[in-house]
Amino acid sequence: MRPAQQEGVRSRARSMIVFLGVSVMAGALAAGLAIPLAGLGGFVTEKAAVTVQSLPQDLKTEPLAVRSKLVAADGTWIATLYEQNRVPVKLDQISPIMRRAIVAIEDSRYYEHGALDAQGTLRALIRNQTVGSVQQGGSSITQQYVKMSLIEKARTAEERLAATEVSYQRKLAELRYAIAVEKEFSKDEILEKYLNLANFGDGAWGVQAAAQHYFKTTAAKLTLPQAALLAGLVKNPTGYDPTNNLKRAKDRRDLVLRRMRELSLITTKQAADAIKTPVIDRTKMQKVPNGCANSRYPFYCEYVVSKLLDNPALGKTPKERDHYLKTGGLTVQTSIDPRIQAAAQASINEHSRFTDTASAAITVVEPGTGLVKAMVQSKPYGAGRNHTYYNHNVEKSYAGGYGGFQNGSTMKAFVLAAAIQKGLPLNYRINSPQQIDLSGKKFRTCTGWTRDPDYRPQNSTRGGNLTMIDAARYSTNTYFLQLSQRTGLCAPATIAAKLGMYNAQAIAPLDQVVSFTLGVGYVTPLMLSNAYATFAARGKYCRPTVVTAVQDKSRKPIKTPGIGCKQALAPEVADGVNRVLSAVMEPGGTGGRLNFGNWDLAGKTGTIQDNRAVWYAGYTPNLAAAAVVADANLPYTNLMYGHTLDGQDISDPTGSGTAGPLWQTAMRNALKGMPLRRFVPPTTKITRGDVKNLPPVSGLSPEDAANSLRQAGFEVTVADKRVRSSEATGTVAYTDPRTNEGAPQGSLITLYLSRGSN
């Protein structure tokens, strides 16, 4: 700096000193800088005058940035999200020694002066004018609080510069705000705000988070040496950070201790003992994990966050929502059940390895609520070999969503539902050869007709003259293709859409093509498990839900979509689907080996062309789950043959043999301790016109009549052995005494046999 410039700085500094001295004596500062700014003489430029006079009297502060947390259904921790690791506390939750330490080193006359410590400020001005620039602060704790608040609320580069620039204009602005703050709040209230706002280094904001981070304790339990270290950090959180420079941190801490001794806040012995104490014990340091990458369930966590960013109650834009989520001190209650999650993870661990070339994934959903209870996959979260950031359980429209896999014959369930809805009985027979020529055959869609000019599908299992139950048991392709021709493609596609099924890659409706029943588009385990949960819930569809409640830092609820359900299918239609899919898990069915316990189980295998992905989706009235094993590499081209699962080559990839064991182990363990619930038997009515299709049972004993009905596709138990003949038809009308209506064909229900009635 040139001599002339240095003299100009000294002159302005002297003018300021004179002004401050006069102002203090006149009480002008206490009145809010009421002296006309012209009295500052040569010091105040026109810019400074405009800056100060244009400032509002009241300091509008931003809410403290407080860390948020995600918790499981049982309240256990899932993840912490924050921009600043901070946990606000009341002043009486901060140890007295901590309060004394911060006052001693930062503003020892804090409780004696007003917004401005004139003595400290004059000392700083004298020091600054000797070096020719602003080098020393002399700010009171209130002024420091104002500065920190202005920095905290700065959003633009210009605002940040204004809050941190080295200038007398900024100091005057802070002083004006400080006067307003001291008028509004008591000294203790300001000190509380200060200690909660301050940066204590190494990612710890506020005294509570600092106590937890450096010492694994609370602000209320801080000891003298601990308090001295934290008090010393505020001046330069990075420079005095003990994790960066232990010697500098110790020197600063010891300076605080000596200052406390000078002020007679502690004894000489207390200071000496504290100085001998190690600065920190690194083994006791507690780093608060931040973000989903550090979560117990990273993939699930990211899906939850994606859903939260869709919630307008958290802000107008995704950016605002993200900021609020990481600064609002929210508590987000999620649907995940740690016990069921552990069961699903144990299945993944038992049947796969993260080094496998194939990927496995499982989602578990609760019927009747849509609550996602578990979400696991074999590929761990992260970068590098055999890791991934893709969530193989969810759709592509969400952060990290993979976009699903083709799901094969699990689509047959929707054709079943369409057929039952159309009124076809469960013993509806279709001649189903091993191969069928559908080339050029027309299938009705929602908008017209479709056909495949060269389509000759075949079965991988048995064919024959099969009922709906038989065809599901064996997963007979030629039966379901013909059944879908009878129902048309619009009905099953509409049902699938109502149950939340769509193309998870294109985020579009499933294509209505001839092969619809054998799998179309790409679906996710979450999507399929939730659709099957609708059958388990007797047709009540609930959107998949991962966020059940959100509270702000005051524990007030924030609006969230929550559970949303509607009746998507008639209960009797869902009951019929449950009966048919139960046969899949009976002896001889494709899922027969997966049955366990006394549970009512229903399910369906799924294998796509060339076995590129294999599925098993199944459910009880309690839980529904879908498991998939697939090649998760993009582009999606490799066959499953030659891939490995659980370290072994996959020689015969099938839904039941490859994906099925994953489903079975997860469900068996997840269902432990749950009440045994049963499917409701189907309730498709037999109308008067159906009587002629019943087998003749006139004059038969109840047992023989029941056997005859069973052979015709009925499932019968006899509750009333009175049988009266009917000469008119030679048949029997069966009445359910609960409804006084005809009992269903293909149903499992107690039938009261009544002969002689129509």
Side-chain angles (χ1 to χ4, degrees), residues 426 538 571-572 574-576 578-579 600 678-684 715 738 744 746-750:
L426 306 188
R538 304 193 67 210
E572 56 267 23
D575 295 340
N578 296 340
R579 171 64 195 101
D600 275 4
R678 299 296 185 189
F679 293 131
V680 175
T683 56
T684 305
E715 297 197 9
R738 295 169 298 181
S747 65
L748 181 58
I749 191 169
T750 299

Side-chain angles (χ1 to χ4, degrees), residues 202 237-246 282:
D202 202 32
T238 302
Y240 297 132
D241 182 349
T243 64
N244 291 334
N245 193 319
L246 195 60
R282 289 184 180 273

Side-chain angles (χ1 to χ4, degrees), residues 201-219:
D202 202 32
W205 296 77
V207 65
Q208 176 77 350
Q212 292 172 340
H213 173 58
Y214 291 111
F215 308 113
K216 205 174 181 178
T217 189
T218 64

Side-chain angles (χ1 to χ4, degrees), residues 16 43 77 80 89 115 120 147 149 154 164 184 224 245 277 378 381 441 501 506 521 582 587 611 621 629 639 692 740:
M16 183 63 174
F43 167 72
W77 175 87
T80 307
V89 288
K147 179 180 179 181
S149 296
T164 57
E184 185 175 359
L224 172 60
N245 193 319
T277 305
S378 59
Y381 185 93
K441 299 290 185 181
M501 299 285 288
S582 293
N611 302 74
V629 177
L639 307 183
K692 64 180 183 293
N740 201 35

Side-chain angles (χ1 to χ4, degrees), residues 6 144 155 160 192 237 396 487 576:
Q6 291 177 343
Q144 291 181 50
R155 291 289 176 266
R160 285 189 288 272
E192 177 187 300
K396 198 173 184 178
T487 64

Side-chain angles (χ1 to χ4, degrees), residues 26-259:
L29 289 173
L33 292 179
I35 289 179
L37 289 173
L40 292 178
F43 167 72
V44 179
T45 64
E46 181 179 351
K47 178 182 176 182
V50 172
T51 299
V52 178
Q53 289 181 329
S54 64
L55 287 173
Q57 291 287 336
D58 297 328
L59 175 66
K60 290 185 172 22
T61 60
E62 289 287 299
L64 281 177
V66 181
R67 70 191 190 201
S68 297
K69 64 179 178 180
L70 274 56
V71 298
D74 63 358
T76 55
W77 175 87
I78 291 178
T80 307
L81 310 173
Y82 58 84
E83 291 179 2
Q84 296 177 354
N85 176 27
R86 177 183 285 110
V87 182
V89 288
K90 297 294 185 182
L91 193 63
D92 60 9
Q93 295 174 292
I94 302 171
S95 68
I97 198 66
M98 179 67 219
R99 289 179 253 162
R100 291 198 292 269
I102 196 73
V103 170
I105 196 63
E106 289 298 324
D107 187 357
S108 61
R109 299 180 60 256
Y110 174 64
Y111 285 96
E112 301 170 23
H113 61 68
L116 173 72
D117 180 6
Q119 292 181 14
T121 302
L122 289 171
R123 280 197 305 271
L125 286 168
I126 293 170
R127 166 62 180 162
N128 294 339
Q129 67 94 20
T130 61
V131 296
S133 62
V134 178
Q135 298 289 326
Q136 186 170 318
S139 296
S140 68
I141 282 179
T142 306
Q143 288 173 281
Q144 291 181 50
Y145 166 70
V146 167
K147 179 180 179 181
M148 289 189 291
S149 296
L150 293 172
I151 293 172
E152 185 78 5
K153 70 183 293 187
R155 291 289 176 266
T156 66
E158 184 178 2
E159 289 173 342
R160 285 189 288 272
L161 177 62
T164 57
E165 67 176 346
V166 180
S167 68
Y168 287 112
Q169 290 96 320
R170 178 181 64 79
K171 296 296 289 184
L172 281 171
E174 287 175 6
L175 179 56
R176 183 161 182 166
Y177 280 130
I179 292 167
V181 168
E182 293 241 354
K183 284 182 177 180
E184 185 175 359
F185 301 105
S186 69
K187 288 286 189 178
D188 280 350
E189 287 173 328
I190 296 168
L191 184 61
E192 177 187 300
K193 292 175 180 293
Y194 176 89
L195 287 170
N196 280 309
L197 183 60
N199 180 4
F200 287 89
D202 202 32
W205 296 77
V207 65
Q208 176 77 350
Q212 292 172 340
H213 173 58
Y214 291 111
F215 308 113
K216 205 174 181 178
T217 189
T218 64
K221 296 180 180 179
L222 286 168
T223 63
L224 172 60
Q226 292 171 345
L229 175 68
L230 297 187
L233 284 170
V234 174
K235 181 178 181 180
N236 188 347
T238 302
Y240 297 132
D241 182 349
T243 64
N244 291 334
N245 193 319
L246 195 60
K247 183 180 183 307
R248 287 196 71 191
K250 184 180 188 312
D251 289 345
R252 177 66 177 172
R253 181 201 68 175
D254 295 350
L255 175 65
V256 175
L257 290 168
R258 287 192 292 271
R259 179 60 176 158

